[in-house]
Amino acid sequence: MAEIYFSNAMFGCIPNCETPEVMARIKDLATPWDGKDIEETPDVITYESFEKALETMPDVDSRWWEKYNWENYVITSQSYRPNCAGCAEATATVTRTLIQAGSQYSEQLPKKFNPMLTWLLSKGGSAIGGQSIGAMAQAGNEIGNFLAEDVGEYDPANISLKRSEKANLNAKERQICYSIYDGNDPAEAVLKALQKGFTCFVGNNRAIADGRYTDENGVECVRLSRNSWSHATTYAGFQIVNGKRYAFWINSHGEIYPANDGTPPIGGWQSEETVRDFLGGSFHDVCFIVYAEAPYDPNAPKTLNPMVKG
């Protein structure tokens, strides 16, 4: 894994506008990125490097559902197919792109994925059983994410591996730079990353109950159930209300978390305490999406960051 530091542009945030480097990058924006090296596999970042970089990052407005129609980008349900890890990786990746582009920190074109193919390929074509967070992260890094417009909308019954060369190339243009958490406080790591606009997908054994409740701060939250699972889900979104931190959590079990606050009903807010309980079971795995590749959008508003190469 790469033990290196990246520029603020790599992490999708606005750098210090007074530096000569930024002034030079502003000039670069006059020339659209030509997609050179798009098929190079992005780096895998050690968590130590990622954590150090987070310390220099500004807070980011990560309410991606307020800028985009979430139904156009996110798979709501894995249905009966055990590809929760595939859905979680795809959701974490596309929401990272939505945050990058929606916050005008990158000039990217978000598109909806079909997570079936990347998941199947990560398992050698087998549709039996699930997949680990680490293996799914590696697949997102090396294979990329297939577009629904290329391979069709997600269908749990369609496990065909047939795909065109165009589909393969478009998937390569949507690979991920990721970092696997290897510390002892996953909840704090998740909350800090979300505050900076990053996303992650996680595997754990503590389950969340259907529905939401409204807490003392008026936040529509989800709570742990008495059940357990071996399941992969996503975190993408952050807010602070009356000094209390909340993480937006996304499942792949359908619209079973009715919402009145405008957030997608496929998940809900977790208080800091719930994040700690949720990730505090007998096992947890956390993969941060450091950077989600997506092609340059010529119609996007110009930003301080040129399109970043993988």
Side-chain angles (χ1 to χ4, degrees), residues 5-309:
Y5 295 97
F6 287 86
S7 68
N8 282 351
M10 178 62 197
F11 286 88
C13 72
I14 293 178
N16 185 340
C17 299
E18 298 177 356
T19 64
E21 292 81 8
V22 171
M23 298 307 296
R25 288 206 292 272
I26 291 174
K27 293 181 181 179
D28 289 339
L29 290 176
T31 303
W33 181 54
D34 61 6
K36 184 180 180 181
D37 299 328
I38 188 66
E39 293 187 43
E40 290 186 2
T41 301
D43 288 309
V44 178
I45 311 301
T46 64
Y47 181 73
E48 181 181 3
S49 288
F50 180 52
E51 184 180 34
K52 289 178 180 177
L54 283 177
E55 297 174 359
T56 70
M57 301 289 112
D59 294 352
V60 170
D61 181 1
S62 58
R63 295 170 294 184
W64 47 274
W65 53 84
E66 294 183 356
K67 302 178 178 67
Y68 297 91
N69 182 349
W70 66 270
E71 293 178 294
N72 291 338
Y73 300 97
V74 180
I75 300 296
T76 60
S77 175
Q78 69 190 70
S79 190
Y80 59 83
R81 190 64 61 186
N83 63 343
C84 57
C87 290
E89 185 275 334
T91 297
T93 300
V94 75
T95 52
R96 177 65 176 133
T97 303
L98 294 174
I99 292 170
Q100 289 168 180
S103 298
Q104 296 188 353
Y105 298 159
S106 71
E107 299 157 26
Q108 293 175 298
L109 181 62
K111 289 194 174 184
K112 189 176 186 179
F113 301 146
N114 180 338
M116 183 68 80
L117 278 175
T118 302
W119 176 72
L120 286 169
L121 290 168
S122 78
K123 291 159 47 63
S126 173
I128 300 174
Q131 182 58 289
S132 70
I133 297 300
M136 204 64 238
Q138 183 178 357
N141 174 256
E142 297 177 356
I143 300 170
N145 289 276
F146 290 90
L147 298 182
E149 66 184 42
D150 288 338
V151 298
E153 293 288 335
Y154 176 78
D155 177 357
N158 184 2
I159 56 174
S160 171
L161 288 175
K162 294 180 181 179
R163 59 200 187 278
S164 65
E165 184 61 26
K166 175 186 175 184
N168 289 333
L169 291 174
N170 281 339
K172 281 282 190 180
E173 291 185 345
R174 290 163 177 84
Q175 296 168 311
I176 60 170
C177 169
Y178 72 91
S179 180
I180 297 290
Y181 181 69
D182 58 4
N184 298 316
D185 192 352
E188 187 63 24
V190 166
L191 288 162
K192 285 183 177 180
L194 294 178
Q195 188 167 0
K196 305 300 181 180
F198 295 94
T199 64
C200 63
F201 61 109
V202 305
N204 79 315
N205 71 298
R206 289 187 170 173
I208 294 293
D210 295 357
R212 298 193 193 188
Y213 74 96
T214 302
D215 76 355
E216 68 277 9
N217 290 321
V219 178
E220 296 183 13
C221 298
V222 294
R223 57 162 55 96
L224 267 65
S225 74
R226 296 180 180 180
N227 299 322
S228 62
W229 61 23
S230 182
H231 189 45
T233 56
T234 303
Y235 282 105
F238 179 86
Q239 66 175 341
I240 297 176
V241 181
N242 293 331
K244 190 172 182 178
R245 296 183 294 177
Y246 296 86
F248 194 75
W249 171 82
I250 304 169
N251 200 356
S252 55
H253 287 172
E255 298 184 23
I256 60 174
Y257 310 96
N260 296 309
D261 61 358
T263 58
I266 53 176
W269 293 103
Q270 288 186 1
S271 66
E272 178 177 339
E273 294 78 12
T274 300
V275 176
R276 293 191 180 281
D277 288 343
F278 183 63
L279 297 177
S282 60
F283 77 89
H284 61 262
D285 295 293
V286 180
C287 175
F288 294 100
I289 307 296
V290 179
Y291 188 78
E293 288 186 333
Y296 171 84
D297 180 1
N299 298 316
K302 298 302 179 186
T303 72
L304 286 175
N305 289 327
M307 187 63 194
V308 179
K309 302 174 184 178

